[in-house]
PDB file of all heavy atoms in Angstrom:
ATOM      1  N   ALA G 358     184.141 125.778 -22.708  1.00  0.00           N
ATOM      2  CA  ALA G 358     182.838 125.225 -22.120  1.00  0.00           C
ATOM      3  C   ALA G 358     181.611 125.556 -22.903  1.00  0.00           C
ATOM      4  O   ALA G 358     180.656 124.790 -22.934  1.00  0.00           O
ATOM      5  CB  ALA G 358     182.725 125.731 -20.676  1.00  0.00           C
ATOM      6  N   GLY G 359     181.565 126.701 -23.501  1.00  0.00           N
ATOM      7  CA  GLY G 359     180.431 127.053 -24.393  1.00  0.00           C
ATOM      8  C   GLY G 359     179.226 127.656 -23.723  1.00  0.00           C
ATOM      9  O   GLY G 359     178.308 128.073 -24.401  1.00  0.00           O
ATOM     10  N   SER G 360     179.235 127.829 -22.400  1.00  0.00           N
ATOM     11  CA  SER G 360     177.993 128.339 -21.732  1.00  0.00           C
ATOM     12  C   SER G 360     177.700 129.780 -22.078  1.00  0.00           C
ATOM     13  O   SER G 360     176.630 130.247 -21.859  1.00  0.00           O
ATOM     14  CB  SER G 360     178.154 128.189 -20.201  1.00  0.00           C
ATOM     15  OG  SER G 360     179.232 128.873 -19.712  1.00  0.00           O
ATOM     16  N   GLU G 361     178.678 130.520 -22.627  1.00  0.00           N
ATOM     17  CA  GLU G 361     178.476 131.904 -23.057  1.00  0.00           C
ATOM     18  C   GLU G 361     177.417 132.067 -24.165  1.00  0.00           C
ATOM     19  O   GLU G 361     176.870 133.102 -24.336  1.00  0.00           O
ATOM     20  CB  GLU G 361     179.788 132.530 -23.484  1.00  0.00           C
ATOM     21  CG  GLU G 361     180.393 131.932 -24.733  1.00  0.00           C
ATOM     22  CD  GLU G 361     181.206 130.661 -24.522  1.00  0.00           C
ATOM     23  OE1 GLU G 361     181.357 130.274 -23.358  1.00  0.00           O
ATOM     24  OE2 GLU G 361     181.709 130.070 -25.507  1.00  0.00           O
ATOM     25  N   MET G 362     177.148 130.919 -24.856  1.00  0.00           N
ATOM     26  CA  MET G 362     176.219 131.000 -25.967  1.00  0.00           C
ATOM     27  C   MET G 362     174.834 130.492 -25.621  1.00  0.00           C
ATOM     28  O   MET G 362     173.994 130.314 -26.492  1.00  0.00           O
ATOM     29  CB  MET G 362     176.763 130.152 -27.150  1.00  0.00           C
ATOM     30  CG  MET G 362     177.990 130.713 -27.758  1.00  0.00           C
ATOM     31  SD  MET G 362     177.771 132.451 -28.381  1.00  0.00           S
ATOM     32  CE  MET G 362     176.396 132.235 -29.534  1.00  0.00           C
ATOM     33  N   THR G 363     174.558 130.295 -24.324  1.00  0.00           N
ATOM     34  CA  THR G 363     173.283 129.720 -23.938  1.00  0.00           C
ATOM     35  C   THR G 363     172.443 130.626 -23.039  1.00  0.00           C
ATOM     36  O   THR G 363     172.994 131.400 -22.232  1.00  0.00           O
ATOM     37  CB  THR G 363     173.494 128.394 -23.206  1.00  0.00           C
ATOM     38  OG1 THR G 363     173.885 128.631 -21.834  1.00  0.00           O
ATOM     39  CG2 THR G 363     174.560 127.553 -23.855  1.00  0.00           C
ATOM     40  N   PRO G 364     171.131 130.487 -23.137  1.00  0.00           N
ATOM     41  CA  PRO G 364     170.217 131.141 -22.175  1.00  0.00           C
ATOM     42  C   PRO G 364     169.922 130.236 -21.015  1.00  0.00           C
ATOM     43  O   PRO G 364     168.765 130.215 -20.515  1.00  0.00           O
ATOM     44  CB  PRO G 364     168.982 131.442 -23.038  1.00  0.00           C
ATOM     45  CG  PRO G 364     168.900 130.234 -23.962  1.00  0.00           C
ATOM     46  CD  PRO G 364     170.365 129.872 -24.178  1.00  0.00           C
ATOM     47  N   ILE G 365     170.920 129.458 -20.544  1.00  0.00           N
ATOM     48  CA  ILE G 365     170.712 128.482 -19.483  1.00  0.00           C
ATOM     49  C   ILE G 365     171.542 128.827 -18.318  1.00  0.00           C
ATOM     50  O   ILE G 365     172.722 129.161 -18.411  1.00  0.00           O
ATOM     51  CB  ILE G 365     171.123 127.061 -19.980  1.00  0.00           C
ATOM     52  CG1 ILE G 365     170.275 126.639 -21.199  1.00  0.00           C
ATOM     53  CG2 ILE G 365     170.923 126.044 -18.922  1.00  0.00           C
ATOM     54  CD1 ILE G 365     170.798 125.469 -21.949  1.00  0.00           C
ATOM     55  N   LEU G 366     170.956 128.786 -17.104  1.00  0.00           N
ATOM     56  CA  LEU G 366     171.642 129.024 -15.882  1.00  0.00           C
ATOM     57  C   LEU G 366     171.443 127.862 -14.942  1.00  0.00           C
ATOM     58  O   LEU G 366     170.313 127.431 -14.682  1.00  0.00           O
ATOM     59  CB  LEU G 366     171.153 130.331 -15.247  1.00  0.00           C
ATOM     60  CG  LEU G 366     171.626 130.581 -13.817  1.00  0.00           C
ATOM     61  CD1 LEU G 366     173.119 130.797 -13.719  1.00  0.00           C
ATOM     62  CD2 LEU G 366     170.926 131.808 -13.203  1.00  0.00           C
ATOM     63  N   GLY G 367     172.507 127.321 -14.408  1.00  0.00           N
ATOM     64  CA  GLY G 367     172.445 126.316 -13.380  1.00  0.00           C
ATOM     65  C   GLY G 367     173.018 126.876 -12.075  1.00  0.00           C
ATOM     66  O   GLY G 367     174.121 127.287 -12.061  1.00  0.00           O
ATOM     67  N   GLU G 368     172.208 126.880 -11.002  1.00  0.00           N
ATOM     68  CA  GLU G 368     172.647 127.368  -9.704  1.00  0.00           C
ATOM     69  C   GLU G 368     172.578 126.286  -8.653  1.00  0.00           C
ATOM     70  O   GLU G 368     171.702 125.408  -8.701  1.00  0.00           O
ATOM     71  CB  GLU G 368     171.746 128.540  -9.295  1.00  0.00           C
ATOM     72  CG  GLU G 368     171.811 129.778 -10.196  1.00  0.00           C
ATOM     73  CD  GLU G 368     170.980 130.903  -9.701  1.00  0.00           C
ATOM     74  OE1 GLU G 368     169.762 130.825  -9.863  1.00  0.00           O
ATOM     75  OE2 GLU G 368     171.521 131.826  -9.123  1.00  0.00           O
ATOM     76  N   THR G 369     173.516 126.345  -7.718  1.00  0.00           N
ATOM     77  CA  THR G 369     173.551 125.352  -6.666  1.00  0.00           C
ATOM     78  C   THR G 369     173.177 125.994  -5.325  1.00  0.00           C
ATOM     79  O   THR G 369     173.650 127.039  -4.957  1.00  0.00           O
ATOM     80  CB  THR G 369     174.933 124.754  -6.559  1.00  0.00           C
ATOM     81  OG1 THR G 369     175.282 124.167  -7.833  1.00  0.00           O
ATOM     82  CG2 THR G 369     174.977 123.678  -5.484  1.00  0.00           C
TER      83      THR G 369
END
Side-chain angles (χ1 to χ4, degrees):
S360 59
E361 66 277 358
M362 292 303 301
T363 78
I365 300 167
L366 170 63
E368 295 182 284
T369 303

